[in-house]
Every structure is written in C-alpha cells, then in structure tokens.
Amino acid sequence: MNIGHVIKILRLQRKMTQEQIALEADMATSNVSRIEKGLRQPSQKVLQRLAIALNTKPSILYAASERPITDISDFLEKEVYEEKIEEERDEQYIDQLLLSHETQSLLKLFSELTPHNKTLMLEQLKTLHRWQNRVGQ
C-alpha cells in the first residue's frame, strides 16, 4: 500500500503542483514530495489535511491505495465523479428543505409549463405584483 502514489495521482488529476498542495495542507513541499515518493508515511492528521487540500476524503485515499496500481487512476476518477453527484444531490435536497411547500408547488407547476406559457405567466405575475404595490400604498 503506497498512499503517496495515490496522493500524487489525485494531485495530477487536479492539475495541482506539490507547492499548491503543501500550501493548502499547511506543510512543507519537501514533505509532500517524500510522501508521494513513499519515503514517508503521513500521520492521520497530515492525511486529513492532504485530503482536504485535494478536495476528497481520507477514506477515498485509503480505498484507492488498496487497489492495484493500474486501477488507481480510474478508481479515483470514478470516486470523484460520484462525490460530485452526491454533493449536487445534497445541495438540491437542502434547497428543497429551505423552500416552503407553497414555493415548491409553484416551482413544480411552473416547470411543467410550455416556454410560451412560462413567458405569459411571468408577465401576469409582474402585473399582479405592480398592482399589489399600487393598492398597498
């Protein structure tokens, strides 16, 4: 198991330099180099900082390091893609929780309209809003 090799592959996939990773992880560039070459094993704390710098989780780094060397790159690309999908799904879920039930219903109905009817609906809504502001004054 060479976690340094995994870190290097992920760094290259992210198009980052050792200096950038070191800066993000608050460590010396020489330490990143030694870890990538397998001359030094990172502590849990260092691994956590490296994972954050690489925008991933330590568990992904460990899982990738258990793979055959020829599979690591594909594994990391797949994991990164799945993480991105999961983050987007989480953001959508949070957005839905923040919207009231009425707002969610309105957005759902609006999304089902034809483009022409969406334009008409927006114009009607703007007119209603202007009328409401005039009456409320």
PDB file of all heavy atoms in Angstrom, residues 18-43:
ATOM      1  N   GLN A  18       2.954  20.286  -6.289  1.00  0.00           N
ATOM      2  CA  GLN A  18       3.254  19.926  -4.900  1.00  0.00           C
ATOM      3  C   GLN A  18       3.215  21.166  -4.017  1.00  0.00           C
ATOM      4  O   GLN A  18       2.782  21.100  -2.870  1.00  0.00           O
ATOM      5  CB  GLN A  18       4.621  19.246  -4.807  1.00  0.00           C
ATOM      6  CG  GLN A  18       4.640  17.847  -5.350  1.00  0.00           C
ATOM      7  CD  GLN A  18       6.001  17.177  -5.213  1.00  0.00           C
ATOM      8  OE1 GLN A  18       7.020  17.841  -5.013  1.00  0.00           O
ATOM      9  NE2 GLN A  18       6.007  15.857  -5.326  1.00  0.00           N
ATOM     10  N   GLU A  19       3.655  22.280  -4.567  1.00  0.00           N
ATOM     11  CA  GLU A  19       3.658  23.535  -3.805  1.00  0.00           C
ATOM     12  C   GLU A  19       2.233  23.950  -3.431  1.00  0.00           C
ATOM     13  O   GLU A  19       1.977  24.392  -2.305  1.00  0.00           O
ATOM     14  CB  GLU A  19       4.340  24.658  -4.605  1.00  0.00           C
ATOM     15  CG  GLU A  19       5.831  24.484  -4.777  1.00  0.00           C
ATOM     16  CD  GLU A  19       6.224  23.517  -5.902  1.00  0.00           C
ATOM     17  OE1 GLU A  19       5.350  23.100  -6.712  1.00  0.00           O
ATOM     18  OE2 GLU A  19       7.404  23.158  -5.956  1.00  0.00           O
ATOM     19  N   GLN A  20       1.312  23.797  -4.370  1.00  0.00           N
ATOM     20  CA  GLN A  20      -0.083  24.164  -4.098  1.00  0.00           C
ATOM     21  C   GLN A  20      -0.677  23.274  -3.005  1.00  0.00           C
ATOM     22  O   GLN A  20      -1.360  23.764  -2.109  1.00  0.00           O
ATOM     23  CB  GLN A  20      -0.920  24.056  -5.378  1.00  0.00           C
ATOM     24  CG  GLN A  20      -0.620  25.132  -6.393  1.00  0.00           C
ATOM     25  CD  GLN A  20      -1.308  24.865  -7.712  1.00  0.00           C
ATOM     26  OE1 GLN A  20      -1.280  23.747  -8.240  1.00  0.00           O
ATOM     27  NE2 GLN A  20      -1.929  25.913  -8.272  1.00  0.00           N
ATOM     28  N   ILE A  21      -0.407  21.979  -3.118  1.00  0.00           N
ATOM     29  CA  ILE A  21      -0.916  21.044  -2.107  1.00  0.00           C
ATOM     30  C   ILE A  21      -0.314  21.372  -0.746  1.00  0.00           C
ATOM     31  O   ILE A  21      -1.016  21.405   0.265  1.00  0.00           O
ATOM     32  CB  ILE A  21      -0.598  19.575  -2.497  1.00  0.00           C
ATOM     33  CG1 ILE A  21      -1.295  19.202  -3.800  1.00  0.00           C
ATOM     34  CG2 ILE A  21      -0.962  18.610  -1.374  1.00  0.00           C
ATOM     35  CD1 ILE A  21      -2.791  19.198  -3.746  1.00  0.00           C
ATOM     36  N   ALA A  22       0.990  21.603  -0.732  1.00  0.00           N
ATOM     37  CA  ALA A  22       1.674  21.918   0.531  1.00  0.00           C
ATOM     38  C   ALA A  22       1.090  23.176   1.161  1.00  0.00           C
ATOM     39  O   ALA A  22       0.856  23.217   2.376  1.00  0.00           O
ATOM     40  CB  ALA A  22       3.168  22.084   0.282  1.00  0.00           C
ATOM     41  N   LEU A  23       0.836  24.174   0.357  1.00  0.00           N
ATOM     42  CA  LEU A  23       0.272  25.424   0.866  1.00  0.00           C
ATOM     43  C   LEU A  23      -1.115  25.187   1.448  1.00  0.00           C
ATOM     44  O   LEU A  23      -1.420  25.644   2.549  1.00  0.00           O
ATOM     45  CB  LEU A  23       0.214  26.469  -0.259  1.00  0.00           C
ATOM     46  CG  LEU A  23      -0.269  27.851   0.132  1.00  0.00           C
ATOM     47  CD1 LEU A  23       0.697  28.498   1.126  1.00  0.00           C
ATOM     48  CD2 LEU A  23      -0.404  28.726  -1.105  1.00  0.00           C
ATOM     49  N   GLU A  24      -1.944  24.447   0.710  1.00  0.00           N
ATOM     50  CA  GLU A  24      -3.302  24.143   1.178  1.00  0.00           C
ATOM     51  C   GLU A  24      -3.287  23.298   2.461  1.00  0.00           C
ATOM     52  O   GLU A  24      -4.134  23.465   3.320  1.00  0.00           O
ATOM     53  CB  GLU A  24      -4.085  23.395   0.093  1.00  0.00           C
ATOM     54  CG  GLU A  24      -4.401  24.204  -1.128  1.00  0.00           C
ATOM     55  CD  GLU A  24      -5.628  25.070  -0.965  1.00  0.00           C
ATOM     56  OE1 GLU A  24      -6.523  24.699  -0.206  1.00  0.00           O
ATOM     57  OE2 GLU A  24      -5.649  26.134  -1.593  1.00  0.00           O
ATOM     58  N   ALA A  25      -2.325  22.388   2.542  1.00  0.00           N
ATOM     59  CA  ALA A  25      -2.258  21.473   3.693  1.00  0.00           C
ATOM     60  C   ALA A  25      -1.406  22.026   4.827  1.00  0.00           C
ATOM     61  O   ALA A  25      -1.221  21.351   5.845  1.00  0.00           O
ATOM     62  CB  ALA A  25      -1.713  20.121   3.242  1.00  0.00           C
ATOM     63  N   ASP A  26      -0.866  23.223   4.635  1.00  0.00           N
ATOM     64  CA  ASP A  26      -0.035  23.875   5.650  1.00  0.00           C
ATOM     65  C   ASP A  26       1.137  22.985   6.064  1.00  0.00           C
ATOM     66  O   ASP A  26       1.310  22.639   7.234  1.00  0.00           O
ATOM     67  CB  ASP A  26      -0.886  24.262   6.867  1.00  0.00           C
ATOM     68  CG  ASP A  26      -0.134  25.187   7.816  1.00  0.00           C
ATOM     69  OD1 ASP A  26       0.713  25.959   7.336  1.00  0.00           O
ATOM     70  OD2 ASP A  26      -0.389  25.114   9.046  1.00  0.00           O
ATOM     71  N   MET A  27       1.914  22.593   5.053  1.00  0.00           N
ATOM     72  CA  MET A  27       3.089  21.769   5.309  1.00  0.00           C
ATOM     73  C   MET A  27       4.165  22.092   4.281  1.00  0.00           C
ATOM     74  O   MET A  27       3.896  22.790   3.304  1.00  0.00           O
ATOM     75  CB  MET A  27       2.721  20.277   5.292  1.00  0.00           C
ATOM     76  CG  MET A  27       2.131  19.790   3.988  1.00  0.00           C
ATOM     77  SD  MET A  27       1.438  18.122   4.055  1.00  0.00           S
ATOM     78  CE  MET A  27       2.849  17.139   4.390  1.00  0.00           C
ATOM     79  N   ALA A  28       5.354  21.599   4.506  1.00  0.00           N
ATOM     80  CA  ALA A  28       6.471  21.859   3.597  1.00  0.00           C
ATOM     81  C   ALA A  28       6.311  21.055   2.306  1.00  0.00           C
ATOM     82  O   ALA A  28       5.857  19.905   2.325  1.00  0.00           O
ATOM     83  CB  ALA A  28       7.786  21.493   4.269  1.00  0.00           C
ATOM     84  N   THR A  29       6.719  21.654   1.202  1.00  0.00           N
ATOM     85  CA  THR A  29       6.679  20.983  -0.093  1.00  0.00           C
ATOM     86  C   THR A  29       7.534  19.722  -0.070  1.00  0.00           C
ATOM     87  O   THR A  29       7.164  18.707  -0.669  1.00  0.00           O
ATOM     88  CB  THR A  29       7.178  21.936  -1.200  1.00  0.00           C
ATOM     89  OG1 THR A  29       6.399  23.125  -1.166  1.00  0.00           O
ATOM     90  CG2 THR A  29       7.053  21.312  -2.573  1.00  0.00           C
ATOM     91  N   SER A  30       8.649  19.784   0.645  1.00  0.00           N
ATOM     92  CA  SER A  30       9.525  18.609   0.728  1.00  0.00           C
ATOM     93  C   SER A  30       8.812  17.428   1.388  1.00  0.00           C
ATOM     94  O   SER A  30       9.047  16.275   1.015  1.00  0.00           O
ATOM     95  CB  SER A  30      10.810  18.951   1.484  1.00  0.00           C
ATOM     96  OG  SER A  30      10.511  19.389   2.793  1.00  0.00           O
ATOM     97  N   ASN A  31       7.914  17.692   2.333  1.00  0.00           N
ATOM     98  CA  ASN A  31       7.154  16.601   2.966  1.00  0.00           C
ATOM     99  C   ASN A  31       6.171  15.978   1.982  1.00  0.00           C
ATOM    100  O   ASN A  31       6.003  14.760   1.953  1.00  0.00           O
ATOM    101  CB  ASN A  31       6.411  17.105   4.200  1.00  0.00           C
ATOM    102  CG  ASN A  31       7.332  17.325   5.376  1.00  0.00           C
ATOM    103  OD1 ASN A  31       8.432  16.773   5.429  1.00  0.00           O
ATOM    104  ND2 ASN A  31       6.899  18.145   6.313  1.00  0.00           N
ATOM    105  N   VAL A  32       5.527  16.823   1.168  1.00  0.00           N
ATOM    106  CA  VAL A  32       4.614  16.297   0.142  1.00  0.00           C
ATOM    107  C   VAL A  32       5.401  15.413  -0.815  1.00  0.00           C
ATOM    108  O   VAL A  32       4.970  14.308  -1.159  1.00  0.00           O
ATOM    109  CB  VAL A  32       3.900  17.440  -0.622  1.00  0.00           C
ATOM    110  CG1 VAL A  32       3.073  16.888  -1.775  1.00  0.00           C
ATOM    111  CG2 VAL A  32       3.023  18.256   0.314  1.00  0.00           C
ATOM    112  N   SER A  33       6.573  15.870  -1.215  1.00  0.00           N
ATOM    113  CA  SER A  33       7.424  15.106  -2.129  1.00  0.00           C
ATOM    114  C   SER A  33       7.805  13.760  -1.522  1.00  0.00           C
ATOM    115  O   SER A  33       7.717  12.723  -2.193  1.00  0.00           O
ATOM    116  CB  SER A  33       8.680  15.913  -2.464  1.00  0.00           C
ATOM    117  OG  SER A  33       9.546  15.163  -3.287  1.00  0.00           O
ATOM    118  N   ARG A  34       8.230  13.765  -0.273  1.00  0.00           N
ATOM    119  CA  ARG A  34       8.624  12.499   0.396  1.00  0.00           C
ATOM    120  C   ARG A  34       7.448  11.538   0.508  1.00  0.00           C
ATOM    121  O   ARG A  34       7.609  10.324   0.344  1.00  0.00           O
ATOM    122  CB  ARG A  34       9.194  12.798   1.782  1.00  0.00           C
ATOM    123  CG  ARG A  34      10.586  13.370   1.746  1.00  0.00           C
ATOM    124  CD  ARG A  34      11.171  13.490   3.166  1.00  0.00           C
ATOM    125  NE  ARG A  34      12.230  14.459   3.164  1.00  0.00           N
ATOM    126  CZ  ARG A  34      12.160  15.682   3.686  1.00  0.00           C
ATOM    127  NH1 ARG A  34      11.068  16.085   4.302  1.00  0.00           N
ATOM    128  NH2 ARG A  34      13.183  16.503   3.622  1.00  0.00           N
ATOM    129  N   ILE A  35       6.273  12.088   0.811  1.00  0.00           N
ATOM    130  CA  ILE A  35       5.083  11.233   0.928  1.00  0.00           C
ATOM    131  C   ILE A  35       4.749  10.623  -0.430  1.00  0.00           C
ATOM    132  O   ILE A  35       4.495   9.419  -0.537  1.00  0.00           O
ATOM    133  CB  ILE A  35       3.889  12.042   1.497  1.00  0.00           C
ATOM    134  CG1 ILE A  35       4.128  12.367   2.974  1.00  0.00           C
ATOM    135  CG2 ILE A  35       2.585  11.268   1.323  1.00  0.00           C
ATOM    136  CD1 ILE A  35       3.163  13.385   3.562  1.00  0.00           C
ATOM    137  N   GLU A  36       4.766  11.438  -1.476  1.00  0.00           N
ATOM    138  CA  GLU A  36       4.449  10.933  -2.815  1.00  0.00           C
ATOM    139  C   GLU A  36       5.444   9.869  -3.274  1.00  0.00           C
ATOM    140  O   GLU A  36       5.070   8.930  -3.968  1.00  0.00           O
ATOM    141  CB  GLU A  36       4.411  12.085  -3.828  1.00  0.00           C
ATOM    142  CG  GLU A  36       3.177  12.951  -3.711  1.00  0.00           C
ATOM    143  CD  GLU A  36       3.068  13.979  -4.818  1.00  0.00           C
ATOM    144  OE1 GLU A  36       3.970  14.049  -5.680  1.00  0.00           O
ATOM    145  OE2 GLU A  36       2.071  14.726  -4.823  1.00  0.00           O
ATOM    146  N   LYS A  37       6.716  10.009  -2.901  1.00  0.00           N
ATOM    147  CA  LYS A  37       7.740   9.036  -3.287  1.00  0.00           C
ATOM    148  C   LYS A  37       7.724   7.792  -2.407  1.00  0.00           C
ATOM    149  O   LYS A  37       8.446   6.829  -2.679  1.00  0.00           O
ATOM    150  CB  LYS A  37       9.129   9.682  -3.212  1.00  0.00           C
ATOM    151  CG  LYS A  37       9.348  10.729  -4.280  1.00  0.00           C
ATOM    152  CD  LYS A  37      10.699  11.385  -4.111  1.00  0.00           C
ATOM    153  CE  LYS A  37      10.912  12.473  -5.141  1.00  0.00           C
ATOM    154  NZ  LYS A  37      12.177  13.206  -4.920  1.00  0.00           N
ATOM    155  N   GLY A  38       6.907   7.792  -1.362  1.00  0.00           N
ATOM    156  CA  GLY A  38       6.838   6.644  -0.459  1.00  0.00           C
ATOM    157  C   GLY A  38       7.962   6.609   0.553  1.00  0.00           C
ATOM    158  O   GLY A  38       8.157   5.598   1.223  1.00  0.00           O
ATOM    159  N   LEU A  39       8.683   7.712   0.687  1.00  0.00           N
ATOM    160  CA  LEU A  39       9.779   7.775   1.655  1.00  0.00           C
ATOM    161  C   LEU A  39       9.273   8.089   3.055  1.00  0.00           C
ATOM    162  O   LEU A  39      10.000   7.910   4.032  1.00  0.00           O
ATOM    163  CB  LEU A  39      10.800   8.846   1.228  1.00  0.00           C
ATOM    164  CG  LEU A  39      11.432   8.645  -0.154  1.00  0.00           C
ATOM    165  CD1 LEU A  39      12.296   9.841  -0.518  1.00  0.00           C
ATOM    166  CD2 LEU A  39      12.233   7.352  -0.162  1.00  0.00           C
ATOM    167  N   ARG A  40       8.038   8.544   3.123  1.00  0.00           N
ATOM    168  CA  ARG A  40       7.458   8.914   4.420  1.00  0.00           C
ATOM    169  C   ARG A  40       5.969   8.589   4.387  1.00  0.00           C
ATOM    170  O   ARG A  40       5.287   8.859   3.398  1.00  0.00           O
ATOM    171  CB  ARG A  40       7.664  10.413   4.647  1.00  0.00           C
ATOM    172  CG  ARG A  40       7.091  10.905   5.929  1.00  0.00           C
ATOM    173  CD  ARG A  40       7.498  12.346   6.197  1.00  0.00           C
ATOM    174  NE  ARG A  40       6.896  12.748   7.450  1.00  0.00           N
ATOM    175  CZ  ARG A  40       6.238  13.875   7.620  1.00  0.00           C
ATOM    176  NH1 ARG A  40       6.131  14.723   6.634  1.00  0.00           N
ATOM    177  NH2 ARG A  40       5.704  14.148   8.779  1.00  0.00           N
ATOM    178  N   GLN A  41       5.465   8.009   5.459  1.00  0.00           N
ATOM    179  CA  GLN A  41       4.036   7.732   5.573  1.00  0.00           C
ATOM    180  C   GLN A  41       3.376   8.875   6.343  1.00  0.00           C
ATOM    181  O   GLN A  41       3.860   9.266   7.402  1.00  0.00           O
ATOM    182  CB  GLN A  41       3.789   6.402   6.302  1.00  0.00           C
ATOM    183  CG  GLN A  41       4.144   5.180   5.493  1.00  0.00           C
ATOM    184  CD  GLN A  41       3.324   5.069   4.222  1.00  0.00           C
ATOM    185  OE1 GLN A  41       2.115   5.211   4.225  1.00  0.00           O
ATOM    186  NE2 GLN A  41       4.013   4.815   3.106  1.00  0.00           N
ATOM    187  N   PRO A  42       2.285   9.431   5.827  1.00  0.00           N
ATOM    188  CA  PRO A  42       1.638  10.546   6.521  1.00  0.00           C
ATOM    189  C   PRO A  42       0.895  10.077   7.768  1.00  0.00           C
ATOM    190  O   PRO A  42       0.332   8.987   7.795  1.00  0.00           O
ATOM    191  CB  PRO A  42       0.659  11.088   5.482  1.00  0.00           C
ATOM    192  CG  PRO A  42       0.350   9.925   4.606  1.00  0.00           C
ATOM    193  CD  PRO A  42       1.608   9.097   4.578  1.00  0.00           C
ATOM    194  N   SER A  43       0.928  10.897   8.804  1.00  0.00           N
ATOM    195  CA  SER A  43       0.132  10.624  10.005  1.00  0.00           C
ATOM    196  C   SER A  43      -1.342  10.850   9.652  1.00  0.00           C
ATOM    197  O   SER A  43      -1.666  11.387   8.582  1.00  0.00           O
ATOM    198  CB  SER A  43       0.538  11.576  11.129  1.00  0.00           C
ATOM    199  OG  SER A  43       0.201  12.908  10.785  1.00  0.00           O
TER     200      SER A  43
END
